[in-house]
Amino acid sequence: MNLLPKSTADFGSTEYWNAFFRKRGKQAFEWYGEYPELCDQLHQYIKPKDEILVVGCGNSKLSMDLYDVGFKKITNIDISPVVIKQMQEANRSTRPEMTWNQMDATAMSFPNESFSVVLDKGTLDALFTDESTAVVTVVQKYFAEIGRVLRAAGRYVCISLLQEHILRKVVDHFPAAHFMLRIVRCPEAGKGHATEESPNADGSSLVVFAIVATKLKNIPMRILELGLAGNHIERVKCPEELLAGVAAAQKAAMVCNGLARGSIAGMAEVSLDLFSPSTKECPRYTIHVLDQAPKRGNGKYAAFIVPQGRETEWLFATPAGRRKLQESAKFDRLAIVTLHRGHVYKDLEAVKAELAESVKSLAPNGLQGASIPYLSIGAEVGRRETIHTGHSELSGAYVVEEIAGENGRLFRRLVFLANQSVVQSEAALKMTRVRGSRAAQKVIDPGYLACQHHLFMTVGVQLAANMANAPGTSNNCPVAVVGLGGGGLCTFMRECLKRTTITAVEIDPEIEQIAVQYFGLTLDQRLRVVIADGIQFLADEAAREAHYSALLFDVDSKDPSVGMSCPPATFLELAVLANVRKLIGEQGLFVLNLVCRNESLRNTTVKSLKRTFRYVLSYQLEEDVNEIFYCTDNERLKEVSNWQELLRTAADDVNKLARKEKLTHEQELVDLSDFITALKI
């Protein structure tokens, strides 16, 4: 039996509703939910002493339920005489004080200021079907009647889905008519769980809101309030903020509905940011939802909480890493939750409690009420401590923070807030006794290399040193590194490769100060920092005919929209590469750290390198997107076999020197044979 209207215009038709209720009979029709799902909001804004007008009552049980819990002064009206007669007969003996009247809500016959509450469940949505002139005129009449029959300090409480055109009209009309306006979400309403009447319900839900407009005699300013999380009500500054908040809740529900209906296996992951009601600038949590084809494993659905500070690791920070995590966890659906800096998290149990409803809403159909297992690394929420905040004129706001990594090891990190998912620099901390102090103190571990590509760049420098010096000699090997960061690469090379003198080129003076104060960078006769634009530095050095045995590019691009994030594309122009070639001469080595996700840009880069240098080799790191290029004109590297032999020697030398200097050099080359054979000419 088809009970849906033929067109949206039917929603305002008396004939449609008469036919609807004749077909429906005595079976109640509940728009957006029943009393138990709405009572939390209703009881906050309606009191038993109120004189209540229910507009567009239909055959909903809402009035009856309110009556039965103590709200006796209820008047109901509806445009359909059929339903009014049905409801009069059904309630005459059981609810004698409640009245039922056939009446058009846009032209009511009640005296002015007759009621303290006007309650509307779905009537506004039924009237406001589109933005045509005729429909808008009807809605304006309806709003005018509400204002007329309400007493001062009375409330219009409307349960609605708040389509955008409806919300805009509500926000435009009520504050201008001297109403204080509040929009709150009804979290329990509109849920489509399977019932005896609807056994095939798919678990999806409508997002239901309550409009609470309070009539005031005189209001000097617009008062707009929004409540989307529990009982927290927030005053917003302008209508657009309120519109954006409602739209965000609706979009999130759309995602949850989609996830409830089916699997996204074989598709991209779905990501959601969750904000604290009091902090809209920075998310409190981010949830990545992944599906895989059902298989025999640990179960259908689980949530994995990433400890603070670990969210930038490959396993948690990249789609490929998260996919690998899901495969190892063996759940059909996995929600991976990351915690953001700038927030306080009491402990793991508190985080689980806070996430419970959100995690449940992302469950597959049939599991919304089931117990959901939570996975993590250890039993702690992780530790993140900010030790310094600052601002760079070139890179914006930044933080220096300490986090506890695997096995409780401490790390210090530099993070620019414009790109919080990327750790700009990282150093390991160790406890040691400092001269003049009895207690052990935290100091930077100079032997820790945060990035695997730094080890391969160091091997390149040792290769250049070996080629520049005859065996047994101690001639100096001058090295230039464009891009300082926290100075981890320069610090390691200074400690490990004693024959080097290092010039680090950094455009941002703030970075030098950070590296010295917080990352243990030691400046002396063997390591200096030049504050300059890298491209201009190369041109100036070439003009004065300087020479370097090795020249390294390890500089990030500030433009995330380009498919190449390291180095900036201007560093690979032919004129710049010509200066590099001039500085290293025929015997030196140019080492490039390339991070490029655009195959066309990579091909262009390779062509430029091959046009500039006679011999170009590359090594693609396994887990990272970094690719290391070794470029030279040295005839000793004409043959691949010579590259392999010399690089094998250089790699062995780096490992031996690191152990000799008692550096905690934990990142030995992945597999030397793989490293050598993977070199591409």
Side-chain angles (χ1 to χ4, degrees), residues 166-179:
I166 294 177
L167 178 57
R168 286 190 178 277
K169 183 64 176 177
V170 165
V171 171
D172 179 63
H173 172 81
F174 285 102
H178 304 290
F179 280 76

Side-chain angles (χ1 to χ4, degrees), residues 125-306:
D125 290 10
L127 290 174
F128 209 163
T129 54
D130 57 54
E131 296 181 87
S132 65
T133 301
V135 169
V136 171
T137 300
V138 169
V139 171
Q140 288 173 336
K141 290 180 180 179
Y142 176 53
F143 284 168
E145 281 295 88
I146 290 168
R148 183 184 67 79
V149 301
L150 268 179
R151 297 168 186 158
R155 287 174 171 153
Y156 171 54
V157 180
C158 173
I159 308 301
S160 169
L161 297 183
L162 280 186
Q163 291 175 274
E164 184 179 356
H165 69 281
I166 294 177
L167 178 57
R168 286 190 178 277
K169 183 64 176 177
V170 165
V171 171
D172 179 63
H173 172 81
F174 285 102
H178 304 290
F179 280 76
M180 182 178 77
L181 181 62
R182 175 179 291 181
I183 305 293
V184 296
R185 183 173 180 179
C186 306
E188 296 302 317
K191 294 187 176 180
H193 301 311
T195 63
E196 290 183 5
E197 292 182 8
S198 303
N200 297 319
D202 60 6
S204 61
S205 62
L206 302 171
V207 189
V208 178
F209 299 90
I211 302 167
V212 183
T214 304
K215 181 180 177 181
L216 303 174
K217 286 188 175 180
N218 188 19
I219 182 170
M221 58 181 287
R222 288 191 172 201
I223 299 178
L224 303 174
E225 295 179 332
L226 182 63
L228 297 178
N231 293 322
H232 179 85
I233 304 297
E234 182 178 7
R235 185 161 294 185
V236 299
K237 297 178 182 178
C238 62
E240 292 306 318
E241 277 191 44
L242 193 147
L243 289 164
V246 170
Q250 291 168 332
K251 288 177 182 177
M254 188 183 303
V255 171
C256 294
N257 287 344
L259 290 170
R261 290 192 188 101
S263 172
I264 56 170
M267 303 167 61
E269 63 186 28
V270 171
S271 299
L272 289 172
D273 286 332
L274 303 181
F275 290 80
S276 168
S278 59
T279 308
K280 294 183 292 184
E281 291 77 13
C282 174
R284 183 165 172 82
Y285 301 99
T286 294
I287 303 181
H288 303 280
V289 183
L290 301 89
D291 278 349
Q292 62 183 347
K295 58 182 68 175
R296 295 183 65 183
N298 294 335
K300 291 185 175 296
Y301 180 49
F304 187 102
I305 299 175
V306 181

Side-chain angles (χ1 to χ4, degrees), residues 2-7 9-22 29 31 80:
N2 182 15
L3 301 181
L4 296 177
K6 295 177 183 179
S7 70
D10 288 344
F11 277 125
S13 161
T14 303
E15 290 75 18
Y16 168 76
W17 289 112
N18 282 337
F20 179 95
F21 288 114
R22 286 193 187 99
F29 184 67
W31 286 99
S80 167

Side-chain angles (χ1 to χ4, degrees), residues 38-39 112 135 138 159 215 236 250 319 356 385 437 447 464 479 514 564 578 584 612 657 666 675:
L38 297 169
C39 62
N112 294 348
V135 169
V138 169
I159 308 301
K215 181 180 177 181
V236 299
Q250 291 168 332
E385 178 184 359
S437 175
V479 179
I514 295 168
M564 185 165 63
I584 64 173
T612 306
L657 290 168
E666 298 173 354
F675 167 52

Side-chain angles (χ1 to χ4, degrees), residues 77 116 123 192 201 216 249 269 282 344 388 430 455 457 501 504 536:
I77 65 170
S116 54
T123 298
L216 303 174
E269 63 186 28
C282 174
V344 176
H388 177 69
K430 61 181 181 180
L455 187 55
M457 299 185 87
T501 56
Q536 188 61 50

Side-chain angles (χ1 to χ4, degrees), residues 308-309 311-312 340-342 383-389 398-403 411-415 417 420 423 425-427 429 518-519:
Q308 292 183 91
E311 70 279 351
T312 57
H340 287 259
R341 61 178 49 81
R383 173 195 158 192
R384 191 204 315 265
E385 178 184 359
T386 299
I387 62 172
H388 177 69
T389 60
Y398 67 85
V399 296
V400 178
E401 61 188 18
E402 291 181 3
I403 67 104
F411 296 92
R412 185 170 292 172
R413 291 174 171 174
L414 168 64
V415 177
L417 298 185
Q420 297 190 37
V423 175
S425 299
E426 180 181 87
L429 298 170
Y518 298 102
F519 289 87

Side-chain angles (χ1 to χ4, degrees), residues 37-50:
E37 299 161 344
L38 297 169
C39 62
D40 284 350
Q41 281 70 39
L42 295 179
H43 285 201
Q44 289 186 49
Y45 304 109
I46 306 174
K47 304 305 176 187
K49 66 179 181 180
D50 282 324

